[in-house]
Amino acid sequence: MDRIAIVDFEASCLPEDGESYPIEVALVQVGGPAKSWLIRPAQKWQYWDWSDEAEKLHGISRDLLIRKGVPAQQVLTELAQAAQGCRVFADSDLDAYWLETLAEACRRPPPFPILYLGELFQEMRTTTGAIERAEAIATVRLPQQHIACKDARRLALAVELLAAA
């Protein structure tokens, strides 16, 4: 199998709740290292929307982002380095939107395309039942949700389980 990585973003809100921006991103290589970043809001996002409901899900406050977040330029550079040589997948097209939003704030193009995880499952010629079983096992092992690194690790584990089957 090629080097595969899973990316996952958390955001200020969902797009249907307003103009959202990325606040956390994680990249996990299947069978390899994981890296995550809290993203300090870019100046451009100063007046964009924030959802208290989203904050309750991911547990990341604006104050935490200001205190511990990494500048968007640095996040984008390090994310690109971590993804180098990998095909990057996500389980939602929103992740591609938030990568584009991050890159745009940095006045750079997205450093890599994000492919839909279902495409990888098709390449692996796996069945819906096998995918559901792998996801269920991964969820039991890594149940915490809406934390970028945990979500990406859970998806990467499901891919590992399917590859080993």
Side-chain angles (χ1 to χ4, degrees), residues 27 37 74-85 108 110-112:
L27 186 95
W37 301 263
Q74 182 180 340
V75 171
L76 190 64
T77 297
E78 292 178 11
L79 179 62
Q81 289 169 348
Q84 200 164 23
R108 293 169 38 196
F112 50 82

Side-chain angles (χ1 to χ4, degrees), residues 1-59:
M1 183 181 291
D2 299 340
R3 285 185 42 200
I4 303 294
I6 306 295
V7 69
D8 188 73
F9 282 88
E10 299 299 330
S12 62
C13 64
L14 291 174
E16 59 265 18
D17 294 330
E19 194 168 22
S20 64
Y21 58 91
I23 63 170
E24 182 184 32
V25 61
L27 186 95
V28 176
Q29 289 186 26
V30 173
K35 179 93 173 136
S36 66
W37 301 263
L38 287 175
I39 306 166
R40 185 177 308 141
Q43 183 67 29
K44 177 179 181 161
W45 305 331
Q46 181 177 353
Y47 298 107
W48 287 26
D49 294 302
W50 185 270
S51 163
D52 292 334
E53 185 178 335
E55 183 177 333
K56 286 177 188 169
L57 285 175
H58 52 60

Side-chain angles (χ1 to χ4, degrees), residues 1-158:
M1 183 181 291
D2 299 340
R3 285 185 42 200
I4 303 294
I6 306 295
V7 69
D8 188 73
F9 282 88
E10 299 299 330
S12 62
C13 64
L14 291 174
E16 59 265 18
D17 294 330
E19 194 168 22
S20 64
Y21 58 91
I23 63 170
E24 182 184 32
V25 61
L27 186 95
V28 176
Q29 289 186 26
V30 173
K35 179 93 173 136
S36 66
W37 301 263
L38 287 175
I39 306 166
R40 185 177 308 141
Q43 183 67 29
K44 177 179 181 161
W45 305 331
Q46 181 177 353
Y47 298 107
W48 287 26
D49 294 302
W50 185 270
S51 163
D52 292 334
E53 185 178 335
E55 183 177 333
K56 286 177 188 169
L57 285 175
H58 52 60
I60 299 169
S61 68
R62 286 179 173 181
D63 181 60
L64 179 64
L65 293 174
I66 299 302
R67 287 185 295 109
K68 297 197 174 185
V70 176
Q73 286 276 2
Q74 182 180 340
V75 171
L76 190 64
T77 297
E78 292 178 11
L79 179 62
Q81 289 169 348
Q84 200 164 23
C86 294
R87 288 193 307 148
V88 180
F89 292 86
D91 66 345
S92 171
D93 59 354
L94 288 174
D95 294 296
Y97 166 78
W98 286 313
L99 178 61
E100 291 168 9
T101 302
L102 176 62
E104 184 180 291
C106 298
R107 297 189 176 122
R108 293 169 38 196
F112 50 82
I114 296 178
L115 306 167
Y116 180 60
L117 193 54
E119 295 173 50
L120 178 61
F121 294 153
Q122 284 183 335
E123 285 178 27
M124 296 171 75
R125 299 178 192 264
T126 189
T127 66
T128 301
I131 294 166
E132 289 171 352
R133 285 189 296 279
E135 288 177 344
I137 292 168
T139 298
V140 167
R141 291 186 189 173
L142 300 167
Q144 199 169 15
Q145 294 184 7
H146 303 295
I147 296 173
C149 198
K150 304 242 184 211
D151 289 344
R153 280 185 192 275
R154 186 174 45 262
L155 293 170
L157 176 57

